[in-house]
Amino acid sequence: MQFGFRAKHSTETANCFLLENVKSKMDKGGAVGAVFLDLRKAFDTVNHEILITKLSKFNFSPDALRWMKSYLEGRTQCVRVSNELSPTRSYDVGVPQGSILGPLLFSLYINDLPSVCTGSEVQMYVDDTVIYVHAKSKQQAAQELTTVMVQVTKWLSDSCLHLNVKKTVCKFFTKRATDATEPDVYVSGEKLQVVSDLKYLGIILDSNLSFKKHVKKVIQITKFNLANFRFIRNCLTTEVAKLYFKSMILPHLTYCLTSWAQACCTTL
């Protein structure tokens, strides 16, 4: 269920898969409760020893594991500000960012997270993780999510990853317009923020998946970019004008169109 840094996978396939799953569950009635995890500096807190242990479960040869270990060990970093260079410091946590192996190693590091989420479904885009359940009511969904988060918290602790509770939010999807009560979901005794809408991988999701707020946002961005275009059009050649259109207007209209274009005719 990892959609990041994989061939034929993208934010569009991640959004499409999640929304089709949620909609199919909403069609059965009840409510879908989801927790959108936010990990604090996930790439920078990967423990090398734990990573090597997890890699050993993927049937890498001993030589490959030793190569991975040597690749991670003995790294130093420093900071340059103008012409001043700070002293170098060694670090023994984190995967090298900006490298080809970094995202792959992180994906392997968190690959077993779904195994602890019994009774729920999990979807990941690199470290952006969604855990969701389908229940008869929001209250039951909240109870199930609270139970699941106990196991998730333990897994994060064992993996030396840190959950940013303040930025981790909960969202309920339902077709019932009258069901306005929002039950609480807890993580380590701390109540998660329940939001009416949120942005997931660039798409604004609301409780009944009307996409009205997302369409409004697309309109605002497109109007702004069109106003700028009209201001500078006389200074541009036809080719540059086409380039502006293809880079500043068209992408906003087509991004994840497979998900939000299924909004009602009035919204569209």
Side-chain angles (χ1 to χ4, degrees), residues 236-248:
L236 307 179
T237 65
T238 302
E239 288 304 313
V240 175
K242 287 181 179 179
L243 180 63
Y244 183 96
F245 170 74
K246 291 177 181 178
S247 60
M248 300 297 292

Side-chain angles (χ1 to χ4, degrees), residues 125-159:
Y125 188 87
V126 195
D127 61 328
D128 286 329
T129 304
V130 187
I131 300 171
Y132 57 104
V133 298
H134 179 229
K136 293 182 179 179
S137 64
K138 289 183 179 181
Q139 288 73 19
Q140 183 180 344
Q143 292 173 2
E144 292 181 13
L145 286 172
T146 299
T147 302
V148 170
M149 288 306 297
V150 173
Q151 300 300 321
V152 172
T153 303
K154 183 180 183 303
W155 181 91
L156 290 171
S157 177
D158 293 342
S159 301

Side-chain angles (χ1 to χ4, degrees), residues 108-234:
L108 293 171
Y109 191 76
I110 66 171
N111 188 65
D112 59 327
L113 171 58
S115 64
V116 303
C117 302
T118 54
S120 66
E121 297 190 50
V122 182
Q123 179 175 318
M124 296 180 286
Y125 188 87
V126 195
D127 61 328
D128 286 329
T129 304
V130 187
I131 300 171
Y132 57 104
V133 298
H134 179 229
K136 293 182 179 179
S137 64
K138 289 183 179 181
Q139 288 73 19
Q140 183 180 344
Q143 292 173 2
E144 292 181 13
L145 286 172
T146 299
T147 302
V148 170
M149 288 306 297
V150 173
Q151 300 300 321
V152 172
T153 303
K154 183 180 183 303
W155 181 91
L156 290 171
S157 177
D158 293 342
S159 301
C160 294
L161 294 173
H162 307 286
L163 185 67
N164 191 340
V165 179
K166 291 184 179 179
K167 290 186 178 181
T168 296
V169 298
C170 182
K171 178 92 186 76
F172 293 98
F173 302 94
T174 181
K175 286 186 174 182
R176 300 173 186 170
T178 56
D179 192 3
T181 56
E182 302 290 5
D184 296 325
V185 177
Y186 292 88
V187 176
S188 301
E190 195 168 345
K191 185 165 63 176
L192 292 182
Q193 179 186 4
V194 180
V195 295
S196 57
D197 54 76
L198 62 89
K199 182 182 283 188
Y200 175 67
L201 301 179
I203 298 294
I204 301 175
L205 308 178
D206 52 66
S207 297
N208 54 5
L209 298 180
S210 70
F211 297 106
K212 289 181 179 179
K213 289 192 175 183
H214 180 74
V215 170
K216 186 177 180 180
K217 183 68 174 177
V218 170
I219 290 171
Q220 288 174 344
I221 294 173
T222 306
K223 278 185 175 180
F224 178 78
N225 288 343
L226 279 173
N228 289 334
F229 177 71
R230 280 192 288 267
F231 184 73
I232 64 174
R233 176 63 185 93
N234 292 334

Side-chain angles (χ1 to χ4, degrees), residues 22-55:
V22 170
K23 285 190 287 186
S24 67
K25 296 179 188 305
M26 289 171 64
D27 287 341
K28 298 176 183 178
V32 176
V35 172
F36 294 79
L37 302 184
D38 185 278
L39 301 182
R40 187 182 291 114
K41 296 184 178 180
F43 276 69
D44 296 331
T45 55
V46 171
N47 183 285
H48 292 174
E49 292 299 323
I50 297 175
L51 174 59
I52 296 299
T53 301
K54 290 189 175 186
L55 290 178

